[in-house]
PDB file of all heavy atoms in Angstrom:
ATOM      1  N   ASP A   2     -24.880  87.500  28.183  1.00  0.00           N
ATOM      2  CA  ASP A   2     -25.275  88.726  27.403  1.00  0.00           C
ATOM      3  C   ASP A   2     -26.265  88.453  26.346  1.00  0.00           C
ATOM      4  O   ASP A   2     -27.238  89.164  26.141  1.00  0.00           O
ATOM      5  CB  ASP A   2     -24.044  89.441  26.833  1.00  0.00           C
ATOM      6  CG  ASP A   2     -23.128  89.985  28.009  1.00  0.00           C
ATOM      7  OD1 ASP A   2     -23.749  90.291  29.024  1.00  0.00           O
ATOM      8  OD2 ASP A   2     -21.932  90.143  27.732  1.00  0.00           O
ATOM      9  N   PRO A  12     -40.985  89.550  21.939  1.00  0.00           N
ATOM     10  CA  PRO A  12     -42.376  90.023  21.988  1.00  0.00           C
ATOM     11  C   PRO A  12     -43.212  89.261  22.955  1.00  0.00           C
ATOM     12  O   PRO A  12     -42.905  88.102  23.357  1.00  0.00           O
ATOM     13  CB  PRO A  12     -42.820  89.747  20.504  1.00  0.00           C
ATOM     14  CG  PRO A  12     -41.935  88.757  19.983  1.00  0.00           C
ATOM     15  CD  PRO A  12     -40.654  88.831  20.756  1.00  0.00           C
ATOM     16  N   VAL A  14     -47.074  87.838  23.936  1.00  0.00           N
ATOM     17  CA  VAL A  14     -48.425  87.483  23.440  1.00  0.00           C
ATOM     18  C   VAL A  14     -49.296  87.110  24.603  1.00  0.00           C
ATOM     19  O   VAL A  14     -48.746  86.596  25.592  1.00  0.00           O
ATOM     20  CB  VAL A  14     -48.446  86.434  22.279  1.00  0.00           C
ATOM     21  CG1 VAL A  14     -47.688  86.940  21.072  1.00  0.00           C
ATOM     22  CG2 VAL A  14     -47.866  85.136  22.806  1.00  0.00           C
ATOM     23  N   TYR A  21     -47.188  85.562  27.741  1.00  0.00           N
ATOM     24  CA  TYR A  21     -46.258  84.629  27.200  1.00  0.00           C
ATOM     25  C   TYR A  21     -45.228  85.349  26.351  1.00  0.00           C
ATOM     26  O   TYR A  21     -45.551  86.017  25.431  1.00  0.00           O
ATOM     27  CB  TYR A  21     -47.010  83.577  26.416  1.00  0.00           C
ATOM     28  CG  TYR A  21     -46.266  82.427  25.922  1.00  0.00           C
ATOM     29  CD1 TYR A  21     -46.214  81.202  26.710  1.00  0.00           C
ATOM     30  CD2 TYR A  21     -45.662  82.412  24.661  1.00  0.00           C
ATOM     31  CE1 TYR A  21     -45.506  80.089  26.228  1.00  0.00           C
ATOM     32  CE2 TYR A  21     -44.994  81.306  24.212  1.00  0.00           C
ATOM     33  CZ  TYR A  21     -44.895  80.156  24.951  1.00  0.00           C
ATOM     34  OH  TYR A  21     -44.254  79.075  24.503  1.00  0.00           O
ATOM     35  N   HIS A  24     -39.760  83.480  22.247  1.00  0.00           N
ATOM     36  CA  HIS A  24     -38.310  83.504  22.273  1.00  0.00           C
ATOM     37  C   HIS A  24     -37.752  82.286  21.581  1.00  0.00           C
ATOM     38  O   HIS A  24     -38.375  81.199  21.589  1.00  0.00           O
ATOM     39  CB  HIS A  24     -37.872  83.435  23.728  1.00  0.00           C
ATOM     40  CG  HIS A  24     -36.423  83.667  24.019  1.00  0.00           C
ATOM     41  ND1 HIS A  24     -35.535  82.644  24.055  1.00  0.00           N
ATOM     42  CD2 HIS A  24     -35.718  84.811  24.093  1.00  0.00           C
ATOM     43  CE1 HIS A  24     -34.315  83.102  24.241  1.00  0.00           C
ATOM     44  NE2 HIS A  24     -34.382  84.458  24.270  1.00  0.00           N
ATOM     45  N   GLU A  40     -23.904  79.626  24.208  1.00  0.00           N
ATOM     46  CA  GLU A  40     -23.799  80.283  25.432  1.00  0.00           C
ATOM     47  C   GLU A  40     -24.575  79.584  26.561  1.00  0.00           C
ATOM     48  O   GLU A  40     -24.174  79.349  27.653  1.00  0.00           O
ATOM     49  CB  GLU A  40     -24.266  81.735  25.344  1.00  0.00           C
ATOM     50  CG  GLU A  40     -24.263  82.547  26.565  1.00  0.00           C
ATOM     51  CD  GLU A  40     -24.806  83.957  26.312  1.00  0.00           C
ATOM     52  OE1 GLU A  40     -24.012  84.805  25.824  1.00  0.00           O
ATOM     53  OE2 GLU A  40     -25.944  84.185  26.655  1.00  0.00           O
ATOM     54  N   ASP A  53     -22.037  61.458  37.676  1.00  0.00           N
ATOM     55  CA  ASP A  53     -22.650  60.102  37.626  1.00  0.00           C
ATOM     56  C   ASP A  53     -24.081  60.144  37.039  1.00  0.00           C
ATOM     57  O   ASP A  53     -24.973  59.344  37.335  1.00  0.00           O
ATOM     58  CB  ASP A  53     -22.760  59.433  39.043  1.00  0.00           C
ATOM     59  CG  ASP A  53     -21.359  59.256  39.577  1.00  0.00           C
ATOM     60  OD1 ASP A  53     -20.491  58.825  38.837  1.00  0.00           O
ATOM     61  OD2 ASP A  53     -21.207  59.598  40.806  1.00  0.00           O
ATOM     62  N   MET A  63     -39.608  71.820  22.983  1.00  0.00           N
ATOM     63  CA  MET A  63     -38.571  72.889  23.100  1.00  0.00           C
ATOM     64  C   MET A  63     -37.487  72.576  24.046  1.00  0.00           C
ATOM     65  O   MET A  63     -36.463  73.316  24.044  1.00  0.00           O
ATOM     66  CB  MET A  63     -39.306  74.234  23.549  1.00  0.00           C
ATOM     67  CG  MET A  63     -40.256  74.779  22.506  1.00  0.00           C
ATOM     68  SD  MET A  63     -39.775  74.677  20.745  1.00  0.00           S
ATOM     69  CE  MET A  63     -38.365  75.724  20.740  1.00  0.00           C
ATOM     70  N   VAL A  71     -26.454  69.709  24.878  1.00  0.00           N
ATOM     71  CA  VAL A  71     -25.782  69.329  26.181  1.00  0.00           C
ATOM     72  C   VAL A  71     -25.304  67.885  26.058  1.00  0.00           C
ATOM     73  O   VAL A  71     -24.198  67.511  26.441  1.00  0.00           O
ATOM     74  CB  VAL A  71     -26.700  69.508  27.367  1.00  0.00           C
ATOM     75  CG1 VAL A  71     -26.074  68.863  28.613  1.00  0.00           C
ATOM     76  CG2 VAL A  71     -27.023  71.018  27.592  1.00  0.00           C
ATOM     77  N   SER A  72     -26.124  67.004  25.484  1.00  0.00           N
ATOM     78  CA  SER A  72     -25.773  65.577  25.235  1.00  0.00           C
ATOM     79  C   SER A  72     -24.540  65.419  24.377  1.00  0.00           C
ATOM     80  O   SER A  72     -23.633  64.701  24.668  1.00  0.00           O
ATOM     81  CB  SER A  72     -26.976  64.815  24.650  1.00  0.00           C
ATOM     82  OG  SER A  72     -26.621  63.465  24.343  1.00  0.00           O
ATOM     83  N   GLY A  91     -42.896  49.265  28.859  1.00  0.00           N
ATOM     84  CA  GLY A  91     -42.315  50.169  29.841  1.00  0.00           C
ATOM     85  C   GLY A  91     -42.719  51.660  29.639  1.00  0.00           C
ATOM     86  O   GLY A  91     -42.243  52.523  30.433  1.00  0.00           O
ATOM     87  N   GLU A 103     -53.222  71.666  28.591  1.00  0.00           N
ATOM     88  CA  GLU A 103     -53.100  70.399  29.264  1.00  0.00           C
ATOM     89  C   GLU A 103     -52.859  69.296  28.214  1.00  0.00           C
ATOM     90  O   GLU A 103     -53.526  69.350  27.154  1.00  0.00           O
ATOM     91  CB  GLU A 103     -54.384  70.040  30.023  1.00  0.00           C
ATOM     92  CG  GLU A 103     -54.667  70.963  31.187  1.00  0.00           C
ATOM     93  CD  GLU A 103     -55.947  70.549  31.950  1.00  0.00           C
ATOM     94  OE1 GLU A 103     -56.337  69.358  31.898  1.00  0.00           O
ATOM     95  OE2 GLU A 103     -56.521  71.454  32.569  1.00  0.00           O
ATOM     96  N   ASN A 109     -40.292  56.736  27.784  1.00  0.00           N
ATOM     97  CA  ASN A 109     -39.668  55.444  27.618  1.00  0.00           C
ATOM     98  C   ASN A 109     -38.186  55.521  28.043  1.00  0.00           C
ATOM     99  O   ASN A 109     -37.641  56.595  28.139  1.00  0.00           O
ATOM    100  CB  ASN A 109     -39.745  55.004  26.180  1.00  0.00           C
ATOM    101  CG  ASN A 109     -41.133  54.622  25.747  1.00  0.00           C
ATOM    102  OD1 ASN A 109     -41.873  55.519  25.327  1.00  0.00           O
ATOM    103  ND2 ASN A 109     -41.620  53.414  25.911  1.00  0.00           N
ATOM    104  N   LEU A 118     -30.577  63.895  34.699  1.00  0.00           N
ATOM    105  CA  LEU A 118     -30.603  65.293  34.659  1.00  0.00           C
ATOM    106  C   LEU A 118     -31.828  65.676  33.912  1.00  0.00           C
ATOM    107  O   LEU A 118     -31.965  65.330  32.737  1.00  0.00           O
ATOM    108  CB  LEU A 118     -29.345  65.917  33.972  1.00  0.00           C
ATOM    109  CG  LEU A 118     -29.383  67.434  33.656  1.00  0.00           C
ATOM    110  CD1 LEU A 118     -29.405  68.234  34.903  1.00  0.00           C
ATOM    111  CD2 LEU A 118     -28.158  67.770  32.788  1.00  0.00           C
ATOM    112  N   GLU A 138     -40.090  59.593  39.580  1.00  0.00           N
ATOM    113  CA  GLU A 138     -40.215  58.987  40.824  1.00  0.00           C
ATOM    114  C   GLU A 138     -40.964  57.654  40.721  1.00  0.00           C
ATOM    115  O   GLU A 138     -40.619  56.663  41.348  1.00  0.00           O
ATOM    116  CB  GLU A 138     -40.947  59.887  41.857  1.00  0.00           C
ATOM    117  CG  GLU A 138     -40.206  61.088  42.296  1.00  0.00           C
ATOM    118  CD  GLU A 138     -40.961  62.049  43.125  1.00  0.00           C
ATOM    119  OE1 GLU A 138     -42.169  61.849  43.379  1.00  0.00           O
ATOM    120  OE2 GLU A 138     -40.474  63.154  43.467  1.00  0.00           O
ATOM    121  N   VAL A 150     -33.630  76.739  31.501  1.00  0.00           N
ATOM    122  CA  VAL A 150     -32.885  77.901  31.043  1.00  0.00           C
ATOM    123  C   VAL A 150     -33.491  79.201  31.629  1.00  0.00           C
ATOM    124  O   VAL A 150     -32.735  80.041  32.171  1.00  0.00           O
ATOM    125  CB  VAL A 150     -32.858  77.932  29.452  1.00  0.00           C
ATOM    126  CG1 VAL A 150     -32.200  79.193  28.953  1.00  0.00           C
ATOM    127  CG2 VAL A 150     -32.218  76.729  28.941  1.00  0.00           C
ATOM    128  N   ILE A 151     -34.748  79.377  31.472  1.00  0.00           N
ATOM    129  CA  ILE A 151     -35.373  80.645  31.828  1.00  0.00           C
ATOM    130  C   ILE A 151     -36.493  80.345  32.926  1.00  0.00           C
ATOM    131  O   ILE A 151     -37.267  79.413  32.796  1.00  0.00           O
ATOM    132  CB  ILE A 151     -36.109  81.279  30.631  1.00  0.00           C
ATOM    133  CG1 ILE A 151     -35.068  81.511  29.493  1.00  0.00           C
ATOM    134  CG2 ILE A 151     -36.757  82.599  30.987  1.00  0.00           C
ATOM    135  CD1 ILE A 151     -35.706  81.833  28.167  1.00  0.00           C
ATOM    136  N   LEU A 170     -30.951  79.634  34.574  1.00  0.00           N
ATOM    137  CA  LEU A 170     -29.797  80.515  34.056  1.00  0.00           C
ATOM    138  C   LEU A 170     -30.131  81.989  34.182  1.00  0.00           C
ATOM    139  O   LEU A 170     -29.193  82.809  34.381  1.00  0.00           O
ATOM    140  CB  LEU A 170     -29.545  80.152  32.585  1.00  0.00           C
ATOM    141  CG  LEU A 170     -29.137  78.709  32.298  1.00  0.00           C
ATOM    142  CD1 LEU A 170     -28.589  78.557  30.917  1.00  0.00           C
ATOM    143  CD2 LEU A 170     -28.160  78.086  33.287  1.00  0.00           C
TER     144      LEU A 170
END
Side-chain angles (χ1 to χ4, degrees):
D2 292 335
V14 297
Y21 186 90
H24 189 267
E40 177 181 281
D53 301 316
M63 297 315 299
V71 172
S72 176
E103 293 183 28
N109 290 87
L118 167 64
E138 289 172 4
V150 175
I151 303 163
L170 304 189

